[in-house]
Amino acid sequence: MSKFQSQQITKVTFARGDGIGPEIMEATLQILQAADAKLELDEIQIGKQVYEKGVTSGIPDDAWENLRENRIFLKAPITTPQGKGYKSLNVTIRKTLGLFANVRPCYSYAPFVSSRFPKVNMVIIRENEEDTYAGIEHRQTNEVYQCLKLVSRPGCERIIHYAFDYARRHGRKHVTCLSKDNIMKMTDGIFHQVFNEVARQYPDISTDHRIIDIGTALIADDPERFDVIVTLNLYGDIISDVAAQICGSVGLAGSANIGSNFAMFEAIHGSAPDIAGKGCANPSALMNAAVLMLNHIGQAKCGELIQNAWRKTIEDGIHTGDIYRDGLSSKIVGTQEFAQAVIDRLGETPGTLPQVTFQTADHAPFELPEPSVSKSDKKLIGVDVFLDWDEHNRNAETLGPQLEAVTPAKWKLKMITNRGVKVYPDGFPETFCTDHWRCRFLLSTESDSTGYDDTLKLLAAIHESGLDIIKTENLYAFDGERAYSLGQGE
Ligand code: NAD
């Protein structure tokens, strides 16, 4: 038995991935083995080689079975093929396994790794399943493409509770919410609203909210001010690369993808095809992800052992090319040599950088909050009809009366917008119009109510007039409150 720990064996699925994946995974496995991590490892094939066999998801059925059995996954980066037929395997795995929280700790290791910010110590907690990453995209007209941004209240509740719970478990004091609710008042709006609601349940944690633009600027310019950040999927993806890079390299940061039954651990960076096969990639991010995994499965002591040896290696100036600096580093090494340097230092601790002592708190399961949604009274009060229309020099002053001439008595054409801007009635001739028109119909008297039959009659009348309907969006009121955004200028 190792002198360092005595935990029971945990089964873990791993995948070597693409590009630099096999190199950094091999290095990471060697470090885990040398540190006597109590793991039984099952390898699965995913990514490029699977895509090339015609499996457009990039993951075969037997790999899913293995993941379902083991529930813990250490994954090297994979290359997402550019073609339209392929889905991102990373997104598929996160969503299929319900990995709703993406946890990305970000530290600076100055003065040993060059960074303008020596005291960065923040954790970015990114919502992992929703937002534009639902992958629901369409081409609707010759000119216009759309991507649906889906944000749910339960999705917001679980990630925001998770962020506050994480802060408490790790002795952190402040949670910052980043969103763009000045523009996306409904999707980002519900995220911010739930943040305010949940924050009241954690009076011991201070909070603030920032619009994502200035939030990102502050991360780039003054990152030491942040403690825990919680944000939506796309923003979290972008800011965690910014944060990792200003700390020295994307090659340093690992991440945990956490769900209620599964967890996946990976580097935040990609497969780096530009340096693949050269043996120079930094394995630290995947190794740090493996350390997060050890904490998660209750092998915190082994995680500490590796993390302290790694810090000592960094302190000793043994650096891969991405963090090597003349005068700062003592030796430039490749992937394998770096891994060996970490292995050689197992049992040692850093002299200047803080020595790591992990809390076992990570191991305790996160209790998902009960969704707080109560049933509201939902009433259909209108419909947005989207048209593909490219006639009469795209003049809405022609389209508007044409629609009004066929609108059934119960309905009123409220406005037409083009890319969200009102162009009828009273549009500006200067507004640039595409071939994609949103025509908003409301009931002609407010006291009227409508059923879907009325909507179908309206659609039939528009269709029979020869106009090309490409989609519709029902307009609802929930408990009497308008549940859709106004057009710009409406
Ligand atoms: P990338 O993160 O692979 O590379 C960006 C830059 O950082 C490159 O210059 C690269 O050489 C460098 N870099 C990355 N990791 C490094 C390391 N460990 N050591 C030293 N340098 C490193 O981003 P990209 O080039 O935009 O994406 C390449 C591929 O990776 C794409 O197919 C993308 O879809 C995929 N990707 C996968 C994941 C994942 O599997 N989780 C995440 C992001 C991107």
Side-chain angles (χ1 to χ4, degrees):
M1 186 181 295
S2 154
K3 61 184 172 175
F4 299 118
Q5 62 160 9
S6 61
Q7 285 93 353
Q8 67 184 48
I9 288 175
T10 303
K11 287 183 85 177
V12 168
T13 303
F14 79 100
R16 293 179 194 270
D18 302 321
I20 58 170
E23 300 159 50
I24 59 173
M25 179 57 85
E26 188 53 38
T28 300
L29 294 179
Q30 285 173 11
I31 294 168
L32 286 169
Q33 192 181 15
D36 206 11
K38 300 291 180 222
L39 306 175
E40 186 183 326
L41 293 161
D42 281 340
E43 181 167 3
I44 58 168
Q45 309 297 329
I46 56 170
K48 193 161 178 266
Q49 53 185 309
V50 180
Y51 285 119
E52 282 171 358
K53 285 183 192 148
V55 181
T56 56
S57 64
I59 177 166
D61 290 346
D62 56 342
W64 280 125
E65 275 164 39
N66 188 277
L67 283 172
R68 263 200 216 104
E69 195 181 311
N70 291 345
R71 293 165 184 269
I72 303 290
F73 187 21
L74 180 62
K75 186 181 93 35
I78 45 176
T79 303
T80 307
Q82 292 286 326
K84 277 191 192 143
Y86 300 104
K87 297 299 280 183
S88 160
L89 176 53
N90 294 315
V91 177
T92 302
I93 293 173
R94 288 172 191 158
K95 293 174 65 165
T96 307
L97 300 183
L99 306 174
F100 66 88
N102 194 326
V103 182
R104 297 183 160 190
C106 227
Y107 307 103
S108 54
Y109 302 98
F112 305 102
V113 176
S114 173
S115 167
R116 283 169 50 219
F117 309 105
K119 292 193 192 120
V120 178
N121 180 0
M122 75 171 115
V123 180
I124 296 170
I125 298 189
R126 160 190 169 195
E127 198 289 315
N128 217 16
E129 296 180 288
E130 304 195 335
D131 196 353
T132 45
Y133 286 60
I136 307 176
E137 292 190 291
H138 306 94
R139 179 176 180 177
Q140 298 194 309
T141 65
N142 262 326
E143 294 176 354
V144 174
Y145 301 74
Q146 77 164 14
C147 174
L148 284 187
K149 171 162 175 150
L150 295 178
V151 176
S152 73
R153 177 175 256 279
C156 296
E157 286 173 356
R158 57 171 60 183
I159 189 66
I160 291 165
H161 268 292
Y162 184 88
F164 278 96
D165 184 79
Y166 181 97
R168 258 193 195 159
R169 283 176 196 229
H170 292 84
R172 289 177 177 268
K173 301 280 173 252
H174 191 86
V175 180
T176 301
C177 173
L178 299 180
S179 80
K180 186 80 182 170
D181 65 335
N182 55 331
I183 303 295
M184 283 159 281
K185 294 177 194 290
M186 305 206 68
T187 47
D188 286 36
I190 187 67
F191 194 85
H192 188 180
Q193 184 185 324
V194 169
F195 178 78
N196 289 342
E197 289 168 14
V198 173
R200 286 195 279 276
Q201 298 171 42
Y202 296 83
D204 48 318
I205 311 270
S206 60
T207 63
D208 67 339
H209 169 268
R210 300 246 174 206
I211 300 294
I212 183 68
D213 354 5
I214 188 63
T216 309
L218 289 172
I219 291 170
D221 190 52
D222 186 16
E224 292 162 352
R225 68 192 295 150
F226 291 101
D227 192 353
V228 174
I229 291 175
V230 65
T231 189
L232 295 103
N233 203 340
L234 177 61
Y235 312 141
D237 198 0
I238 296 167
I239 63 169
S240 44
D241 268 30
V242 174
Q245 193 66 31
I246 58 169
C247 287
S249 169
V250 289
L252 297 178
S255 75
N257 296 262
I258 305 290
S260 33
N261 294 309
F262 293 90
M264 175 172 83
F265 301 86
E266 60 183 343
I268 73 154
H269 60 74
S271 56
D274 53 335
I275 55 167
K278 295 184 178 162
C280 65
N282 188 344
S284 299
L286 186 62
M287 189 216 75
N288 281 327
V291 168
L292 294 173
M293 177 184 80
L294 291 169
N295 282 347
H296 183 80
I297 61 178
Q299 298 191 30
K301 286 284 154 230
C302 184
E304 264 176 42
L305 179 73
I306 295 173
Q307 179 63 212
N308 284 323
W310 179 80
R311 288 184 175 214
K312 180 78 169 79
T313 310
I314 295 290
E315 268 190 9
D316 287 349
I318 315 288
H319 293 167
T320 45
D322 57 324
I323 56 171
Y324 182 89
R325 298 286 181 281
D326 279 336
L328 196 67
S329 313
S330 59
K331 189 177 183 194
I332 188 163
V333 290
T335 314
Q336 274 302 316
E337 208 181 335
F338 182 83
Q340 190 55 50
V342 175
I343 291 167
D344 292 344
R345 287 164 180 75
L346 286 171
E348 295 183 36
T349 51
T352 306
L353 290 170
Q355 186 178 332
V356 168
T357 317
F358 287 126
Q359 305 170 16
T360 48
D362 248 7
H363 186 47
F366 170 68
E367 298 288 337
L368 276 183
E370 281 294 316
S372 71
V373 179
S374 55
K375 283 269 178 221
S376 313
D377 177 39
K378 178 173 129 183
K379 194 170 147 196
L380 185 63
I381 56 171
V383 60
D384 279 345
V385 180
F386 290 78
L387 301 178
D388 179 348
W389 188 71
D390 193 12
E391 291 167 31
H392 301 282
N393 291 324
R394 300 186 179 176
N395 184 350
E397 294 300 326
T398 310
L399 178 60
Q402 190 180 336
L403 279 167
E404 279 159 348
V406 298
T407 303
K410 204 165 187 182
W411 293 99
K412 183 174 181 337
L413 176 65
K414 177 84 191 308
M415 61 159 188
I416 302 174
T417 66
N418 197 292
R419 295 190 304 167
V421 178
K422 190 180 74 154
V423 290
Y424 181 85
D426 308 324
F428 283 36
E430 292 84 2
T431 305
F432 171 73
C433 290
T434 67
D435 54 1
H436 185 271
W437 307 81
R438 187 258 304 260
C439 310
R440 172 158 291 172
F441 291 90
L442 297 178
L443 294 164
S444 46
T445 47
E446 274 190 13
S447 57
D448 272 356
S449 66
T450 185
Y452 201 58
D453 282 355
D454 291 318
T455 308
L456 292 178
K457 281 180 199 149
L458 170 68
L459 298 181
I462 296 170
H463 173 70
E464 280 158 22
S465 76
L467 291 165
D468 182 8
I469 300 172
I470 48 175
K471 76 160 188 170
T472 63
E473 208 64 70
N474 289 345
L475 304 177
Y476 293 108
F478 283 82
D479 292 335
E481 202 174 308
R482 175 174 53 80
Y484 52 89
S485 60
L486 295 177
Q488 284 152 3
E490 184 177 355

